[in-house]
Amino acid sequence: MTTTRKEQAAGTEAALKQAAREVFAERGYLNTKITDITAAAGRATGSFYNHFAGKEELLEALLVDLLAEVDDAVLEDAAHDADFSRIESVRWHVTAFWRFYKTHLPEMSAIRQASLVDPELGQRLRRIMADDDAHMIEHLSYLPEPRPDPELQISAMNSLLEGFAYTWLVVNPPSGRTITDEEAIDLLTNLIHHGLAGRE
């Protein structure tokens, strides 16, 4: 069976994305060149530009793929609960985030690095995640009155989750201490639930 041009193009795009993940994991986003990605993918450098305008656009495409994967996982899990007044619901979301971050360390690290050196790209990446933020904001509607400012609360929650995960899964603290998944999930769950559902 012959392969169509459309199938060949899809195969090349998939190969470039997978190669980018591997090279990001090995060298980091900032130290990765487009030629590194095409060499790892076994593709000509010129083929890269048939799919992406640059490394930044490739990173955006990877983020779109990751978020689609998350959406599918949420829809398929009957244990998903949107009621953030319940600690079990918060734990489900923290657990899902932690496992997702660990699975996709190269991409998550790349997003953080890229955002730090290129604020405009960081804003574009954040806009891609806006739908996820809107979904999370709905979870706050279950909290008792007076309800927190949803935009600020989701921003704070995202910063806590992403910053903590980056510190313990990527950078590692100078003390050399490690943390188990359960320790991380328990700590983050309790902080977020108390912060959202607790009283001042």
Side-chain angles (χ1 to χ4, degrees), residues 53-74:
K55 189 171 66 169
E56 299 80 7
E57 189 171 294
L58 170 57
L59 182 58
E60 291 178 62
L62 287 175
L63 178 57
V64 170
D65 289 349
L66 293 182
L67 294 177
E69 179 184 319
V70 170
D71 290 344
D72 290 343
V74 169

Side-chain angles (χ1 to χ4, degrees), residues 28-192:
Y29 175 82
L30 299 179
N31 294 324
T32 295
K33 300 181 179 70
I34 288 173
T35 51
D36 298 328
I37 296 171
T38 53
R43 300 297 198 275
T45 302
S47 69
F48 182 94
Y49 296 99
N50 292 329
H51 300 275
F52 307 105
K55 189 171 66 169
E56 299 80 7
E57 189 171 294
L58 170 57
L59 182 58
E60 291 178 62
L62 287 175
L63 178 57
V64 170
D65 289 349
L66 293 182
L67 294 177
E69 179 184 319
V70 170
D71 290 344
D72 290 343
V74 169
L75 290 173
E76 292 171 4
D77 193 336
H80 174 256
D81 178 4
D83 184 353
F84 264 23
S85 69
R86 293 164 34 84
I87 195 168
E88 295 83 0
S89 173
V90 174
R91 185 179 303 279
W92 186 96
H93 287 82
V94 170
T95 302
F97 171 85
W98 189 261
R99 290 176 178 166
F100 174 83
Y101 201 103
K102 283 190 73 173
T103 301
H104 299 289
L105 274 179
E107 299 97 318
M108 300 307 291
S109 296
I111 289 167
R112 186 178 182 91
Q113 292 170 10
S115 299
L116 287 173
V117 299
D118 186 346
E120 185 178 332
L121 174 60
Q123 288 182 347
R124 293 204 305 272
L125 294 171
R126 182 52 65 185
R127 281 196 291 272
I128 292 172
M129 293 185 273
D131 284 345
D132 265 25
D133 288 349
H135 166 76
M136 293 303 296
I137 284 174
E138 293 177 12
H139 293 47
L140 303 181
S141 64
Y142 293 89
L143 296 173
E145 299 285 355
R147 290 180 185 144
D149 181 307
E151 184 177 358
L152 296 181
Q153 292 289 340
I154 294 300
S155 174
M157 188 173 76
N158 287 341
S159 296
L160 172 63
L161 290 170
E162 292 167 8
F164 191 85
Y166 188 78
T167 296
W168 288 93
L169 297 176
V170 180
V171 177
N172 298 316
S175 66
R177 179 181 176 181
T178 59
I179 189 170
T180 68
D181 292 347
E182 286 307 310
E183 286 177 312
I185 290 166
D186 284 346
L187 174 63
L188 291 167
T189 296
N190 289 329
L191 283 173
I192 291 171

